[in-house]
Amino acid sequence: MTFSIVARSADGLLHGVAVASKFLAAGALVPAAEAQVGAVATQAHVNLAYRSQGLALLRTGVAAADVVAGLVAADPGRDDRQLGVVAATGDGATWTGPRCHPWAGGQAGDGWAVQGNILAGPQVVDAVRDAWLGGGELPFPQRLLAALHAGDRAGGDRRGRQSAGLLVVERHGGYAGTGDTLVDLRVDDHPDPVTELGRLLATHTLLFGKPDPAALLDLTGPLADEVAALLGTAGHPVGTAGLDDALGSWAGVENLEERLVPGRIDPIVLDHLRRTAPTARAGD
């Protein structure tokens, strides 16, 4: 009752799972991932133990195909299960039990595995695969989302739509570098969950995306004057601690603190400041 992709970035530093289903909160059940270790998707008749057991095997260097083989061999309910696994290196692997509701199946290749059941047809898996393979220019989370969108457009779950989820891990990629969860977003019950997941990812990227070093602007001269005036109007005047401190105070309220760079400003931060304090331009 679900389709998903588990994948690894080309440099091996990111792992992730994207899933959509006509099932409440599939993102709470299907995905598991560990930075620089691998990713697992368990679906159809979900076996939650696959997540911890699969990651434990991957942690010891077991190949994805052997992880799949080991998990299903030990599971008396394997005929009703579906599973996808990607390791730190090598090909992904997938399993579809013979009693999964049709259409059901999967495909795998270098660093990815796609699987689904109760689908509109095999074209869903083909579309997810093709979008993944053709999306190498996209950032990793957006590439997973694009693959999910492609499967949705190809018919997805033949019963309809309800939920979607996206999990991406990277060593120290979480908030302020204090964890490994780069993206963990879920749409639990929505008429168009994949589109809604895209909206959430765009918001997440706006707030927590890493600034582009080449785009950063120096906080000097007229720009510094403008930013100071905007901050004053927004209730964060520049005091003796300086412009960076005032900007940090404002950014913390606006949840943009991850985009701050001392002495410089991200154009995304500047645009948001200008839009939220439009009458405070220097010289007005």
Side-chain angles (χ1 to χ4, degrees), residues 15-19 25-33 51 141 144 164-170 173-175 180-188 197 200-201 204-205 208:
H15 286 81
V17 184
V19 57
L29 301 178
V30 172
R51 301 189 306 181
L144 285 170
L166 177 64
L167 174 65
V168 177
V169 296
E170 179 185 21
Y175 180 82
D180 295 341
T181 303
L182 180 67
V183 178
D184 186 3
L185 298 172
R186 283 172 31 190
V187 178
D188 288 345
L197 186 63
L200 293 178
L201 180 59
H204 182 279
T205 302
F208 307 119

Side-chain angles (χ1 to χ4, degrees), residues 5-118:
I5 176 170
V6 295
R8 180 183 68 241
S9 63
D11 60 10
L13 297 180
L14 295 95
H15 286 81
V17 184
V19 57
S21 182
K22 181 63 170 71
F23 187 90
L24 181 68
L29 301 178
V30 172
E34 185 173 331
Q36 297 182 13
V37 169
V40 176
T42 172
Q43 55 198 56
H45 284 260
V46 167
N47 183 341
L48 293 176
Y50 279 3
R51 301 189 306 181
S52 59
Q53 292 171 359
L55 291 175
L57 290 168
L58 290 169
R59 213 173 288 127
T60 66
V62 177
D66 294 330
V67 171
V68 169
L71 291 176
V72 301
D75 182 5
R78 59 185 170 271
D79 286 355
D80 297 299
R81 314 281 194 213
Q82 199 165 46
L83 173 65
V85 176
V86 165
T89 60
D91 287 351
T94 186
W95 160 266
T96 298
R99 297 204 326 174
C100 289
H101 293 293
W103 188 90
Q107 300 178 31
D110 184 17
W112 62 272
V114 177
Q115 45 283 315
N117 62 95
I118 319 186

Side-chain angles (χ1 to χ4, degrees), residues 228-266:
L230 289 165
L231 290 170
T233 296
H236 300 268
V238 177
T240 57
L243 184 56
D244 280 339
D245 185 73
L247 184 58
S249 175
W250 169 84
V253 173
E254 297 295 320
N255 301 321
L256 286 165
E257 64 273 11
E258 285 289 272
R259 287 191 167 273
L260 295 183
V261 177
R264 311 185 80 189
I265 189 167
D266 185 337

Side-chain angles (χ1 to χ4, degrees), residues 201-229:
L201 180 59
T203 301
H204 182 279
T205 302
L206 169 69
L207 295 175
F208 307 119
K210 295 179 176 63
D212 177 3
L216 293 173
L217 304 171
D218 291 332
L219 273 176
T220 57
L223 180 58
D225 294 339
E226 178 191 352
V227 169

